Amino acid sequence: TLSIIMGTIMTMSSSNWLMAWIGLELNMLAVLPVISKPKTTRASEATTKYFLTQAVASAMMLLASTINAWQTGNWDILELKNKFSTTIMALSLMMKMGAAPLHFWLPEVLQGTTLQTALLITTWQKLAPITLMYMISNNIQPAILMSMGILSMIIGGLGGVNQTQLRKTMAYSSINNLGWTIMIMALSPNMAIMNISIYIITTTPIFLMMTNTSTKTLQNLSTAWTTCTTTTFSIALLMLSTSGLPPFTGFMPKMLILNELITQNLATLATMAIMTSLISLLFYLRIAYLTMMLTSPMTTPSLTKWRTQNQKSPLTTMMIPTALFITHLIPAVPY
């Protein structure tokens, strides 16, 4: 845990490509034993996939920074001027984050790990690559970022529609939200940071509550009300918030991003973004339906869990979603 935190902080606070690379490597090597902690073949497979993809991304990152240093004589992160280097660097950071078209490892790795590790990969592990992308956003060609963003949104939406495993659904949800972040990074990097921050804040309690109720599939979710009713309703509301449905918090960054796109005369891009968010809304609504509509006294098609004790979710877990539901109204008005 200490190495994971130290690696991320080292990358986020460095101004030199080599130090940023060392921080990412330290972080990656520290995460591997965490992923492989469950002694199962799936966990070992997930660890191998994670290691291979992250190693390739690190190699691409080192290649891009070396070519830039060779041409400019500078290792400074903000001085990434070479176009070839910026493109390779953008692709390597997208692979690190799990954005399309380099997203294939993310759903598989999340499915092979525990819910706590899935939370770590979808939230904390995105901080360092997003910070590096924020720092070089002025040098990356906007067309690359926007096309990758739209592709991530389409794949994130379509990929999650047919899933019954919640960890894979959350992986595609992560890809979809990364699409929004990467797309707006070209026009307004600060807005991209706000979008990913709100995503992390809404995703964290979802994973914590899923861990608390041992919910891993949609079938588990439909019977979770027997053990902890409040938690299931909170999961449903947070899912709707993550989907960007008003009046929840997740609507605010999407509205501001669409506003920025239309201000920049990119109405076609904004329309495509809205259409893809409607696709992703489908699986969020399915989760909300299973949790909120299939509650007592309605019958369920599957066996209900035996109530051994009334599990109350931790106070911190409950406070976060409660505080989030309406907060978007305040910052949205002055804009």
Side-chain angles (χ1 to χ4, degrees), residues 85-326:
S85 294
T86 52
T87 308
I88 296 292
M89 187 62 73
L91 287 170
S92 73
L93 292 174
M94 284 173 196
M95 189 185 268
K96 285 261 178 207
M97 288 184 280
L102 306 164
H103 66 284
F104 297 101
W105 63 272
L106 187 62
E108 297 300 321
V109 169
L110 255 59
Q111 186 57 32
T113 58
T114 60
L115 286 165
Q116 292 97 324
T117 313
L119 168 64
L120 176 76
I121 293 168
T122 49
T123 55
W124 182 263
Q125 293 299 94
K126 299 222 185 321
L127 295 179
I130 284 281
T131 307
L132 290 174
M133 190 172 274
Y134 176 83
M135 291 169 81
I136 64 167
S137 58
N138 290 334
N139 300 324
I140 305 173
Q141 292 167 318
I144 293 171
L145 288 175
M146 287 179 186
S147 56
M148 294 294 182
I150 283 289
L151 191 62
S152 294
M153 288 155 69
I154 293 167
I155 289 171
L158 292 174
V161 167
N162 207 25
Q163 296 296 334
T164 55
Q165 296 287 335
L166 282 174
R167 279 169 294 183
K168 277 195 175 179
T169 306
M170 293 307 292
Y172 284 108
S173 162
S174 169
I175 294 164
N176 182 49
N177 273 277
L178 274 175
W180 285 88
T181 306
I182 291 166
M183 183 179 67
I184 200 62
M185 188 74 80
L187 303 173
S188 175
N190 292 336
M191 210 174 281
I193 295 296
M194 180 193 68
N195 183 60
I196 199 71
S197 303
I198 287 175
Y199 168 72
I200 288 170
I201 292 168
T202 49
T203 304
T204 305
I206 292 175
F207 273 110
L208 290 174
M209 287 187 276
M210 278 162 56
T211 308
N212 191 46
T213 53
S214 301
T215 304
K216 292 177 183 175
T217 62
L218 288 178
Q219 189 179 15
N220 291 154
L221 202 61
S222 64
T223 58
W225 57 266
T226 56
T227 49
C228 194
T229 316
T230 325
T231 301
T232 51
F233 274 95
S234 297
I235 289 174
L237 292 171
L238 275 164
M239 284 289 183
L240 293 177
S241 178
T242 314
S243 70
L245 205 66
F248 299 112
T249 318
F251 172 65
M252 177 188 63
K254 286 185 169 60
M255 182 185 70
L256 295 180
I257 288 168
L258 291 172
N259 188 29
E260 181 68 25
L261 288 172
I262 291 164
T263 308
Q264 301 284 345
N265 292 322
L266 295 166
T268 313
L269 203 64
T271 309
M272 287 173 70
I274 293 167
M275 296 303 283
T276 53
S277 73
L278 283 175
I279 300 168
S280 64
L281 185 64
L282 186 65
F283 63 83
Y284 289 118
L285 280 174
R286 183 168 65 162
I287 293 168
Y289 168 76
L290 285 171
T291 48
M292 300 179 86
M293 300 298 184
L294 297 179
T295 49
S296 179
M298 289 174 70
T299 56
T300 56
S302 54
L303 293 171
T304 54
K305 295 177 185 176
W306 181 255
R307 185 197 289 270
T308 51
Q309 60 177 359
N310 185 15
Q311 295 179 17
K312 291 182 180 175
S313 52
L315 184 63
T316 49
T317 311
M318 293 305 302
M319 282 169 63
I320 298 169
T322 315
L324 280 173
F325 290 148
I326 311 295

